[in-house]
Amino acid sequence: MVTLNDIQNRVSVLYDHAFAQRQLKIYQWMTQIQKSNSELVTQHYLGKTTENRTMYYLQISQPSDKIKKIIWMDCGIHAREWISPAFCQWFVKELLRMQRSKIKESLHHIITRKNRSPHMNGTCYGTDLNRNFNSSWGSIGVSDNCSSEIFCGSGPESEPETRAVAQFIKKKKSDILCYLTIHSYGQYILTPYGSTTRPPSNNEELMHVAEMAAAALMGKYGTSYKVGPTSLILYSNSGSSRDWAHMIGIPFSYTFELRDKGTHGFVLPPDQIQPTCEETMLAVTTIIDYVDQKYFPGGAVMLTASSLGLSLCLSVVLTWTVS
Amino acid sequence: GHKYHLELELEDVLDKDSTVNCTAEVLYHLGNKNIAPDVQFTLEGELKNTDEADNVFYSRIKSLEKELVAENIPDNYGNVSPEMEPIHLLAWVASGYVIWQNSTENTKFQLAQIKHVKQVKRSDEYLEFDYKILLHEMLTQEIIPWQMTVLWHPQHGVEVTQNSRQPKQASE
């Protein structure tokens, strides 16, 4: 069993001490959440990072003998987009109807985007995990040079972190209805694909739901999000987890790029955490509501914008990548 | 080259209700990517008068006993102190020039942070600041260190007299 001490000992000296503390805090928080909500939350092993640190996911579901469908959400695949893991923590708290407490600030330098995998005899580090999935890997919007921030790795799923996520999702694929990956910044809800402008088979429906989600988000504080395929409204990229999730058959696959639009960028000030999380929550629950109604019509819709509960038929899987 | 006709709404960062419409033509040159795009623009309306705030800032810096030095704006929590706000805004404007000079159809730059700024003493009435900034480029996702020397005077506006891309830090 991996202890917190083991994790601490393995943190690379290149990391800022405060960043390492934040990673530990997330693990500690996950354990605490699971302990205090053990009837709804289970913590599971997902895999290991390049540096052999353990990755966990939380499964949140009501006990039931019914077969469950799955909503997957990941946050923090790019470590410097720190508002993303903050949102996941917020989301979990809301989902569990926990007492609202301000997510504590911690020090955020503009830190890394990539993981810590060594290349070129340890002279260069880091693969962009969101270019490493097996979705037209290496074809566009990437670099084959390790020193680039969008280095796609030595091959599709070359990174242990990518493999851990991909294996889990492949295993549960027939039950996963929705794949959400949370990033920052830019204020977008992005639909497939980044690697081609060819629209996905369910493009109309994907866009319709995303537009509803963006409208719900905007209703809270007036924050405006753009909606559309990555390749059309942002840039071309290949090997993204969202493209891969859709390509293997998960119908509702979205990338969220949270606040802001560049004024603060990766270093969003603490007074924007709460409003960002509240408005994003509305967007996410709009999507989950739609998926719930589509696949379980006539059932009691438990997830609404203003109050959260868990559907008997949906469970939420969340993971944080803190490599 | 490729010419784009744009219709923009400019919004005052300090007063969100204050907007001015603008039309612009941008020409990206074919061939030599080292030439900045041509920009022609027309403002449909007037920009707000900022004389009072400009003069307050100018007097404050002129009356400093020692040259101003500061780091990490915004700080690692995303905050900018009120005293540093004009220094931050000046960097935004000056980095706009640097971004323009280095833009192609395949770049999208944002000022990410001021890592370091120091005032350079001058014998004339201009203020001079030497900035080390970080630019974030969206397509390559690079955080690029950049140096720029900025002159400013309330009546004469902003000028970037020197700027150069810096080598990437080895810390990652």
Side-chain angles (χ1 to χ4, degrees):
Chain A
M1 180 181 129
V2 179
T3 66
L4 290 171
N5 273 334
D6 290 341
I7 295 169
Q8 191 164 19
N9 290 338
R10 283 183 188 141
V11 169
S12 160
V13 295
L14 287 174
Y15 276 89
D16 183 79
H17 176 71
F19 175 58
Q21 286 299 306
R22 183 157 216 277
Q23 290 175 312
L24 289 179
K25 284 200 159 87
I26 293 181
Y27 284 131
Q28 285 167 339
W29 175 85
M30 284 173 87
T31 305
Q32 183 228 310
I33 284 279
Q34 200 265 298
K35 282 201 167 101
S36 45
N37 296 276
S38 51
E39 72 289 357
L40 291 172
V41 181
T42 47
Q43 180 172 312
H44 303 265
Y45 174 85
L46 183 66
K48 296 264 195 186
T49 69
T50 301
E51 291 177 312
N52 221 27
R53 297 206 307 277
T54 306
M55 295 161 64
Y56 298 106
Y57 67 89
L58 290 181
Q59 180 175 317
I60 305 172
S61 52
Q62 260 190 20
S64 161
D65 54 7
K66 294 180 194 284
I67 296 170
K68 296 269 191 161
K69 292 297 182 184
I70 298 169
I71 312 284
W72 164 283
M73 190 161 80
D74 65 64
C75 295
I77 192 172
H78 295 138
R80 68 188 181 190
E81 301 165 5
W82 79 266
I83 187 66
S84 163
F87 171 70
C88 266
Q89 287 181 281
W90 173 278
F91 183 81
V92 169
K93 284 188 184 198
E94 287 296 287
L95 206 56
L96 298 171
R97 291 173 179 261
M98 282 185 74
Q99 188 189 3
R100 219 171 275 229
S101 64
K102 202 168 161 205
I103 293 168
K104 295 201 172 48
E105 320 158 0
S106 58
L107 212 56
H108 325 284
H109 300 285
I110 293 172
I111 46 178
T112 60
R113 172 183 170 88
K114 305 191 288 178
N115 76 347
R116 297 294 305 159
S117 63
H119 298 273
M120 289 160 52
N121 286 325
T123 60
C124 178
Y125 285 84
T127 297
D128 182 346
L129 297 175
N130 205 36
R131 301 285 186 275
N132 188 241
F133 283 77
N134 193 14
S135 43
S136 308
W137 178 87
S139 60
I140 192 168
V142 294
S143 170
D144 60 5
N145 189 324
C146 169
S147 54
S148 164
E149 290 289 351
I150 51 174
F151 172 57
C152 53
S154 53
E157 297 187 13
S158 59
E159 309 304 301
E161 296 91 340
T162 311
R163 284 199 298 276
V165 169
Q167 268 159 28
F168 176 88
I169 293 181
K170 270 186 277 204
K171 203 167 70 168
K172 309 266 186 178
K173 188 182 70 160
S174 55
D175 292 326
I176 302 179
L177 301 175
C178 186
Y179 174 85
L180 303 177
T181 181
I182 313 295
H183 294 243
S184 75
Y185 57 90
Q187 295 175 202
Y188 297 101
I189 301 178
L190 298 168
T191 61
Y193 297 105
S195 55
T196 171
T197 52
R198 169 179 66 83
S201 50
N202 60 341
N203 188 52
E204 246 182 69
E205 193 180 23
L206 275 172
M207 286 295 296
H208 169 63
V209 175
E211 269 151 14
M212 283 198 306
L217 188 154
M218 185 168 198
K220 186 78 181 171
Y221 296 112
T223 309
S224 117
Y225 269 54
K226 291 205 190 74
V227 170
T230 302
S231 58
L232 290 182
I233 71 169
L234 189 55
Y235 46 52
S236 294
N237 68 342
S238 58
S240 72
S241 65
R242 187 277 324 279
D243 275 4
W244 177 80
H246 192 275
M247 285 175 183
I248 63 158
I250 296 171
F252 291 91
S253 298
Y254 294 104
T255 306
F256 273 71
E257 296 279 358
L258 303 184
R259 288 196 195 180
D260 58 16
K261 291 178 73 67
T263 309
H264 293 93
F266 299 124
V267 198
L268 201 63
D271 63 4
Q272 288 201 41
I273 305 178
Q274 183 129 342
T276 301
C277 290
E278 286 171 357
E279 68 190 13
T280 308
M281 180 66 95
L282 296 179
V284 170
T285 53
T286 301
I287 295 171
I288 296 179
D289 274 353
Y290 181 91
V291 169
D292 189 22
Q293 293 203 41
K294 175 174 174 146
Y295 291 96
F296 306 102
V301 176
M302 298 282 285
L303 283 169
T304 66
S306 54
S307 76
L308 283 182
L310 287 166
S311 156
L312 283 173
C313 305
L314 286 176
S315 76
V316 181
V317 173
L318 292 109
T319 190
W320 290 255
T321 309
V322 283
S323 65
Chain B
H2 293 149
K3 193 178 239 188
Y4 295 85
H5 177 82
L6 304 170
E7 285 169 21
L8 318 171
E9 188 184 61
L10 305 182
E11 180 188 85
D12 187 333
V13 165
L14 300 177
D15 175 11
K16 304 276 177 188
D17 295 326
S18 172
T19 63
V20 177
N21 287 334
C22 176
T23 58
E25 281 199 349
V26 179
L27 171 64
Y28 291 100
H29 298 280
L30 281 179
N32 191 348
K33 299 284 188 230
N34 291 325
I35 305 178
D38 281 350
V39 178
Q40 308 289 325
F41 70 94
T42 308
L43 285 178
E44 280 147 31
E46 275 181 17
L47 297 177
K48 229 162 63 166
N49 184 295
T50 58
D51 288 351
E52 194 183 323
D54 287 348
N55 288 323
V56 164
F57 172 58
Y58 183 75
S59 309
R60 200 187 102 213
I61 303 295
K62 273 291 188 186
S63 63
L64 290 176
E65 287 193 3
K66 271 179 65 174
E67 281 75 43
L68 180 145
V69 174
E71 287 189 332
N72 290 339
I73 302 166
D75 68 16
N76 294 319
Y77 294 90
N79 297 314
V80 178
S81 68
E83 310 83 64
M84 286 303 136
E85 191 57 39
I87 297 286
H88 188 218
L89 292 171
L90 182 60
W92 267 100
V93 174
S95 66
Y97 171 82
V98 171
I99 289 170
W100 166 38
Q101 293 295 300
N102 289 276
S103 285
T104 70
E105 284 169 286
N106 295 306
T107 59
K108 185 165 149 73
F109 286 101
Q110 283 285 348
L111 173 66
Q113 194 184 35
I114 301 166
K115 287 304 288 179
H116 186 85
V117 57
K118 76 170 191 291
Q119 183 187 358
V120 176
K121 198 172 167 129
R122 286 183 74 91
S123 49
D124 61 18
E125 77 269 24
Y126 281 86
L127 298 184
E128 181 177 334
F129 298 95
D130 181 19
Y131 283 94
K132 304 256 186 319
I133 59 173
L134 295 177
L135 292 178
H136 173 224
E137 200 293 296
M138 196 62 87
L139 271 73
T140 59
Q141 288 296 329
E142 297 292 332
I143 303 284
I144 309 169
W146 213 286
Q147 178 275 331
M148 57 183 192
T149 305
V150 182
L151 291 189
W152 179 73
H153 183 278
Q155 272 84 61
H156 306 303
V158 180
E159 192 187 338
V160 177
T161 54
Q162 198 217 326
N163 77 92
S164 60
R165 188 176 175 137
Q166 301 296 297
K168 194 166 153 182
Q169 295 304 109
S171 59
E172 286 193 289

